[in-house]
């Protein structure tokens, strides 16, 4: 087989990855926990073709060159090295959700690429190896290889830094209602953001406290304790944005619509609606709740000024090959 197609879901981090211990290998400063998002996906086909002069990449029917292509080539180079081939590849990728606006399109993209490229090259990688390979493309992509609720064990080198599932998707019907504020590409991507993390005087404290937050989050998921989960998710998100806001240069991802959702949620909570928010490196707000509350929350969100659209996703499965 020289062609393979794979699908992977993006994931939303409950405990965030922000800052690297080793940027070239994407070894994170702290561990992280996430949930894969069902129904949203990147679908990627990799075809090794001897007739090609060099690697080519198409994303959503557009030819990509420059740094986007370079990141894909370095992952393909690893696959070629390991499989002893040096054939160029054509990579065709599609997303069914907006890219570059804080819905981790790079996570699903590099997870699908790692799986499709290794299968097309006939490499039989274990889940840990696939997770490590996806990590090379984008740190959070290592969490889109296993299914359900996933923890990235930070490790200290390439071998020890990968993600594992600690509860399957059907363990808890949590839902991420993604309030889309803007679909524009962000100005500072996360790769650059990770470099800036250490310029904040708050980053060392955030990293030192990570094992406590990871433990609370893991236990809250395992016990399906929404109240405990909500508290720790918001605290962790606010710590990351505090680091971003105090970096040099400063990173401000929030827009007025982002704050409108955050304020509205305080009101909903006073009305006994259990919800919490988390925000990645973009303006969109991920509103987490249990399934029974989804309809009320979506109609509330649609009424908040600045919210253009709401995407709804439950816990998703692992990256998978299309046979
Ligand atoms: O994988 P990257 O380099 O795109 O970084 C992801 C960073 C956040 O989305 C902000 C947090 C996370 O853990 O997903």
């Amino acid at each position: 087989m020289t062609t393979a197609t794979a699908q992977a879901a993006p994931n939303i981090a409950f405990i965030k990855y922000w800052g690297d211990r080793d940027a070239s290998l994407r070894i994170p400063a702290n561990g992280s926990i996430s949930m894969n998002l069902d129904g949203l996906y990147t679908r990627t086909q990799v075809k090794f073709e001897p007739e090609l002069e060099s690697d080519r990449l198409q994303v959503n029917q557009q030819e990509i060159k420059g740094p986007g292509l370079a990141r894909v080539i370095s992952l393909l180079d690893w696959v070629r090295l390991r499989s002893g081939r040096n054939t160029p590849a054509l990579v065709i990728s599609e997303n069914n959700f907006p890219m570059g606006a804080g819905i981790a399109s790079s996570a699903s993209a590099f997870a699908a690429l790692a799986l499709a490229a290794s299968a097309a090259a006939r490499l039989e990688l274990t889940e840990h190896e696939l997770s490590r390979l996806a990590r090379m493309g984008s740190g959070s992509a290592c969490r889109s290889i296993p299914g359900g609720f996933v923890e990235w064990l930070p490790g200290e080198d390439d071998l020890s830094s990968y993600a594992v599932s600690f509860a399957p998707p059907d363990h808890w019907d949590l839902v991420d209602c993604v309030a889309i504020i803007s679909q524009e590409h962000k100005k500072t991507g996360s790769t650059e953001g990770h470099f800036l993390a250490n310029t904040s005087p708050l980053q060392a404290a955030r990293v030192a406290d990570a094992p406590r937050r990871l433990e609370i989050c893991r236990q809250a998921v395992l016990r399906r304790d929404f109240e405990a989960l909500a508290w720790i998710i918001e605290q962790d998100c606010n710590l990351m944005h505090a680091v971003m806001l105090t970096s040099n240069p400063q990173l401000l991802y929030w827009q007025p619509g982002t704050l409108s959702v955050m304020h509205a949620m305080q009101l909903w909570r006073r009305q006994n609606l259990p919800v919490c928010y988390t925000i990645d490196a973009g303006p969109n707000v991920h509103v987490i709740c249990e399934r029974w509350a989804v309809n009320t929350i979506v109609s509330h969100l649609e009424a908040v000024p600045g919210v253009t659209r709401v995407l709804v996703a439950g816990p998703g499965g692992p990256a998978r090959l299309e046979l």
Side-chain angles (χ1 to χ4, degrees):
M1 180 171 49
T2 54
T3 304
T5 305
Q7 267 197 32
N11 63 72
I12 180 62
F14 294 164
I15 302 296
K16 307 290 189 191
Y17 151 51
W18 197 247
D20 288 310
R21 199 165 143 170
D22 179 334
S24 61
L25 291 173
R26 296 187 200 268
I27 308 299
N30 60 277
S32 50
I33 285 180
S34 59
M35 176 179 102
N36 282 357
L37 299 178
D38 191 37
L40 308 180
Y41 61 83
T42 300
R43 183 172 180 270
T44 299
Q45 184 186 65
V46 175
K47 215 185 237 184
F48 286 103
E49 283 189 357
E51 306 80 52
L52 283 177
E53 273 177 24
S54 55
D55 293 322
R56 284 182 52 196
L57 169 65
Q58 281 171 20
V59 179
N60 296 336
Q61 273 130 38
Q62 284 196 350
E63 191 78 24
I64 307 287
K65 300 213 163 62
L69 175 63
R71 258 167 103 173
V72 165
I73 293 177
S74 49
L75 196 145
L76 291 171
D77 281 344
W78 189 93
V79 169
R80 280 186 282 252
L81 187 73
R82 178 99 193 240
S83 62
R85 56 174 78 218
N86 57 28
T87 320
L90 172 63
V91 177
I92 300 175
S93 191
E94 275 166 34
N95 291 303
N96 71 345
F97 60 96
M99 288 172 71
I103 313 181
S105 54
S106 65
S108 51
F110 283 101
L113 177 67
L115 185 54
S118 56
R122 293 200 203 123
L123 283 178
E124 283 179 20
L125 302 185
T126 63
E127 187 180 271
H128 291 178
E129 288 172 321
L130 276 169
S131 178
R132 285 168 44 211
L133 178 58
R135 191 199 75 229
M136 295 292 197
S138 166
S140 57
C142 76
R143 297 189 311 239
S144 282
I145 293 289
F149 298 87
V150 172
E151 179 162 2
W152 178 4
L153 309 170
E156 47 207 27
D157 55 16
D158 173 43
L159 263 181
S160 55
S161 189
Y162 54 83
V164 292
S165 172
F166 66 96
D170 62 1
H171 167 74
W172 192 7
D173 206 359
L174 279 183
V175 179
D176 181 2
C177 304
V178 193
I180 309 277
I181 308 292
S182 160
Q183 302 202 12
E184 269 170 46
H185 261 271
K186 54 203 174 199
K187 285 188 206 74
T188 311
S190 42
T191 302
E192 203 183 323
H194 295 302
F195 272 109
L196 297 179
N198 273 333
T199 64
S200 164
L202 304 181
Q203 171 72 348
R206 181 190 155 275
V207 170
D209 180 60
R212 179 191 68 89
R213 299 194 303 282
L214 287 163
E215 175 64 16
I216 294 174
C217 182
R218 201 184 306 115
Q219 292 306 327
V221 170
L222 290 173
R223 294 187 189 133
R224 302 185 190 90
D225 179 345
F226 190 82
E227 212 181 310
L229 184 74
W231 163 251
I232 204 67
I233 285 182
E234 285 194 4
Q235 189 184 54
D236 187 84
C237 164
N238 293 343
L239 282 168
M240 180 181 75
H241 284 273
V243 167
M244 291 165 161
L245 286 164
T246 50
S247 292
N248 184 8
Q250 179 203 68
L251 294 176
L252 170 57
Y253 289 109
W254 300 346
Q255 289 184 7
T258 316
L259 283 162
S260 299
V261 175
M262 289 160 87
H263 279 288
M265 284 176 64
Q266 301 204 342
L267 177 71
W268 305 339
R269 269 203 288 252
R270 282 201 294 276
Q271 296 165 347
N272 288 327
L273 199 55
V275 276
C276 67
Y277 65 77
T278 185
I279 304 159
D280 282 340
N284 301 332
V285 188
H286 296 254
V287 177
I288 312 295
C289 64
E290 289 182 292
R291 177 74 63 183
W292 61 265
V294 166
N295 291 345
T296 315
I297 287 169
V298 170
S299 60
H300 280 18
L301 280 171
E302 283 171 345
V304 176
V307 174
T308 57
R309 200 175 145 196
V310 182
L311 303 176
V312 172
R320 61 177 181 83
L321 276 175
E322 280 180 17
L323 298 173

